[in-house]
Amino acid sequence: MPLSRLKKKIKKIRDRLFRTPDRRANSLQIAIAAYQVITDQSPSAHLLASFQRAFAQGATVSQVLQPFKPEPPSTIIDDQEIWRILADRAYTAWPEPPFVQDPRLDLTHFQQFWQSLFKGELIIGQEDYLKVHQGRFWELFNAVEFVIGDRPARLLEFGNSEASALYPRLFEKLTLDLSDRPVADDYIGFTEAKCRQKFQIDQYFAIDLEHIDQADKLPEQGLYDCIIFTEVLEHLCADPQVVLQFLLTRLKPSGQLILSTPNYFRSENLLPITQGRNPQPYHPGFAENWDGHYHYREYSAYELDQLILAAGGTLNWGYYSSCWDHDHQRSRSLRGNLVVGISPKT
């Protein structure tokens, strides 16, 4: 009941009862009547006795009823205030790697290599993909340089793209293996045959990460200096802890897993949240998702922290990337992508 109506009802009761001289009796009757208005029930015998004791000790009606008064209505806040609160609570402090502010790779060379990707025949959908993901790959290749430097190293990438061709150009001492989900030989996207034709790779693994235990061929344990697992986690209908545990076992003790995934608390998601709508569309049938591009589940920074810990990993570095964003000045925790470097616990 609104407080204004409650006050009016109690005032009428008090005015009517206070016409008689017995103030203590009136106080008890007011308390009973008010209690009934507030709680929509009559006080128990035990509660009546406590009322009487309180009045005998000189308590006022207001003091007796204080524990039962309804809470005042919560303060209404606008969308911007909600955003500020969410931005603050969604933030997890990670040690930011130096390449975020000081990239080591030559940007001009990278751009030249990137433009060369468009000169050949591209796999269906990859032209638009490359245009959208250029900034993300610039960050990714700098992360790889940060992890392996210019030393000989073995790298495994999950999820193929035309950009996989750039690893040998940027890192001459690198041995590259690729992996993606099993597909039919006539699949119009990336197959093992197409990858071997287009890229300089050593091994290829067709692995369904949603059923790792059923895979016929798996990468050797403890083999890799670096594993790339970027923009894949959100597409899996699988236990993410199991997936991370599997990936960490494939790293050398000194190796690192580079993982990136969309930030659930990015600005674009907050608008529908503040309007009471779910920002993630439901997952469609196969016909509309033949290439697996829909997201089953997106994650927050806090969730990644918990998953890494549960999977037996150590977070070495991480940052909030604005590679998807038009507004690069937005609060860190509201940026579009989460990027972390993880090593196995030794």
Side-chain angles (χ1 to χ4, degrees), residues 158-175:
F158 281 87
N160 309 316
S161 74
E162 296 285 355
S164 300
L166 297 189
Y167 286 108
R169 301 188 196 181
L170 292 167
F171 308 99
E172 295 180 355
K173 301 177 183 178
L174 187 72
T175 300

Side-chain angles (χ1 to χ4, degrees), residues 20 45 53 95 114 133 155 159 177 186 189 216 231 235 246 303 336:
T20 58
R53 287 194 299 271
W114 191 261
H133 287 249
L155 181 145
D177 293 346
D186 59 352
D216 295 329
E231 312 310 300
H235 297 276
F246 163 75
E303 287 178 314

Side-chain angles (χ1 to χ4, degrees), residues 117-123 162 198:
L117 297 176
F118 294 90
K119 295 179 180 179
E121 183 179 353
L122 300 178
I123 295 291
E162 296 285 355
K198 294 174 75 70

Side-chain angles (χ1 to χ4, degrees), residues 121-172:
E121 183 179 353
L122 300 178
I123 295 291
I124 184 171
Q126 283 291 294
E127 182 173 359
D128 291 336
Y129 178 87
L130 292 177
K131 291 176 180 177
V132 172
H133 287 249
Q134 181 175 352
R136 182 178 73 80
F137 275 104
W138 166 245
E139 293 181 9
L140 172 60
F141 292 136
N142 274 282
V144 173
E145 195 281 335
F146 176 69
V147 171
I148 66 173
D150 60 355
R151 60 187 173 90
R154 193 172 195 99
L155 181 145
L156 171 63
E157 181 178 48
F158 281 87
N160 309 316
S161 74
E162 296 285 355
S164 300
L166 297 189
Y167 286 108
R169 301 188 196 181
L170 292 167
F171 308 99
E172 295 180 355

